[in-house]
Amino acid sequence: MSLDFKKEEFTVEYLTPQGEKQVFPLELRTDPLTGDTGTVFRTPSPFASLRYRPDPEAASALVQRSVELGCPFCSDSLEKTATRFPAEFWPEGIIARGQARVFPNRDLFHTPYSAVLILGTEHYVEPRGFTPEVLVAGLEAAQIYFRQADRNPPGAPYQTVNWNYFPPAGGSIIHPHLQLLAGAFPTNRYRRLLEASRAYEREHGTNYWSRLIAAEKALGERYIGHTGTVCWLSPFVPRGRMWDVMGIVEGGITLGASSAQHLKDLAVGIIKILAFIQDQGQFSFNLSLFSAVAGDGSVWGLCHIMPRTTTPPIGMSDCSYLDTLLAHASTAIFPEQIAQELREYFR
Ligand SMILES: [Zn+2]
């Protein structure tokens, strides 16, 4: 049985000040799993990245400013600034794996377990500068943290690895760092994915994600490629103003139970996408990696990556009432176009 990639087409019309009629197509798309809708359109939107290119000096100006402000995560400061886990949680205080370090998040408690993951000692790494070794060591440090968290009552089966890279994406510190969240409850999108995946499996007797991968591979429009056990797709209903990409970790294995090879498969795919982001002239992105949940094979691990930007000439945010209040994704670049361009990076 094929999946229902439902689209409704609309047109938007207006007259230019000179009286010339302009007609643009608009698609309302419905996610085949969750029923969430979003619009995809073709206009001269600034977010179609053709009219305004991001300022090529913006990233280096932010790096320079961060050095002037001082960095709490550079190695000479980390010893003084990093919080420590209580001895009963982790006797060494800080979890270390290679150059990666994990310690409690001092100020922001989104879930009962909130930690900071520092990827290495280098203060600035450009998007294409991350290596599989650095990302795998970071994910292994995250695994150790999540296993410890899950051993403590009431358990922490819902685990995400999150990244705000640079200020347009919500990052306050340039030094490469991620945020680990775990707890006894899922965040809203995680819950919707879980509930919908369980409902699909009950109704159809098969796993949704396996079916989605088969359907997207057969269609070939949004399938980007595989890195080992991770399938990379351009989502049918994008969430970003520009575009986004989703990696599906096949088989429903949790992050905690993933092997070094699984983590490397993820890291290799992430690095290809970060290189694409930089080649597109962008320097900021969000990433969230949702773990599969132990004892529940209905949802598979998902790694969602989205470039973020502010737009010249006044520095407009790409996040607006659409995202904060209406919760309606509206995207100026077709996911099929991005998949076609990204496929070159996965050959
Ligand atoms: Zn630093």
Side-chain angles (χ1 to χ4, degrees), residues 7 35 63 66 125 132 135 145 151-152 204 240 265 281 286 346:
K7 283 182 203 176
V63 174
S66 74
V125 181
L135 291 188
Y145 173 65
R151 279 188 194 118
N152 284 267
H204 300 279
D265 293 345
N286 286 124
F346 284 74

Side-chain angles (χ1 to χ4, degrees), residues 64-81:
Q64 179 58 35
R65 180 75 180 128
S66 74
V67 171
E68 290 160 11
L69 287 169
C71 175
F73 297 158
C74 274
S75 13
D76 46 349
S77 310
L78 194 64
E79 185 65 25
K80 292 187 217 102
T81 59

Side-chain angles (χ1 to χ4, degrees), residues 71-74 121-124 173 175:
C71 175
F73 297 158
C74 274
T121 54
E122 224 174 320
H123 178 68
Y124 170 54
I173 293 170
H175 198 118

Side-chain angles (χ1 to χ4, degrees), residues 63-129:
V63 174
Q64 179 58 35
R65 180 75 180 128
S66 74
V67 171
E68 290 160 11
L69 287 169
C71 175
F73 297 158
C74 274
S75 13
D76 46 349
S77 310
L78 194 64
E79 185 65 25
K80 292 187 217 102
T81 59
T83 48
R84 307 305 203 258
F85 293 112
E88 60 274 22
F89 186 89
W90 191 255
E92 292 79 15
I94 294 177
I95 296 169
R97 186 82 183 191
Q99 286 197 352
R101 299 288 181 272
V102 174
F103 48 87
N105 197 330
R106 180 190 291 267
D107 299 320
L108 299 167
F109 315 122
H110 311 294
T111 58
Y113 293 100
S114 292
V116 176
L117 160 63
I118 307 293
L119 283 182
T121 54
E122 224 174 320
H123 178 68
Y124 170 54
V125 181
E126 61 182 345
R128 69 160 67 85

Side-chain angles (χ1 to χ4, degrees), residues 110-259:
H110 311 294
T111 58
Y113 293 100
S114 292
V116 176
L117 160 63
I118 307 293
L119 283 182
T121 54
E122 224 174 320
H123 178 68
Y124 170 54
V125 181
E126 61 182 345
R128 69 160 67 85
F130 293 97
T131 63
E133 293 70 30
V134 163
L135 291 188
V136 168
L139 291 171
E140 286 177 343
Q143 280 186 315
I144 295 168
Y145 173 65
F146 288 142
R147 285 182 194 140
Q148 286 303 106
D150 203 26
R151 279 188 194 118
N152 284 267
Y158 304 107
Q159 304 164 354
T160 57
V161 176
N162 307 281
W163 200 347
N164 299 327
Y165 181 94
F166 268 61
S172 62
I173 293 170
I174 297 300
H175 198 118
H177 69 289
L178 289 80
Q179 297 183 348
L180 310 179
L181 304 183
F185 59 86
T187 51
N188 280 309
R189 182 163 174 238
Y190 207 164
R191 177 175 50 75
R192 282 211 306 280
L193 287 169
L194 281 162
E195 288 173 354
S197 300
R198 286 173 189 150
Y200 187 93
E201 200 157 296
R202 268 197 313 274
E203 194 177 330
H204 300 279
T206 188
N207 179 278
Y208 170 77
W209 299 97
S210 159
R211 184 156 279 182
L212 175 68
I213 291 169
E216 291 286 25
K217 277 185 88 169
L219 284 168
E221 295 177 332
R222 290 171 297 272
Y223 174 70
I224 295 166
H226 269 78
T227 50
T229 53
V230 184
C231 172
W232 298 91
L233 302 172
S234 214
F236 174 66
V237 184
R239 299 179 72 83
R241 195 69 78 244
M242 296 181 287
W243 55 271
D244 43 277
V245 170
M246 197 162 68
I248 304 167
V249 186
E250 292 185 343
I253 189 155
T254 65
L255 195 51
S258 295
S259 66

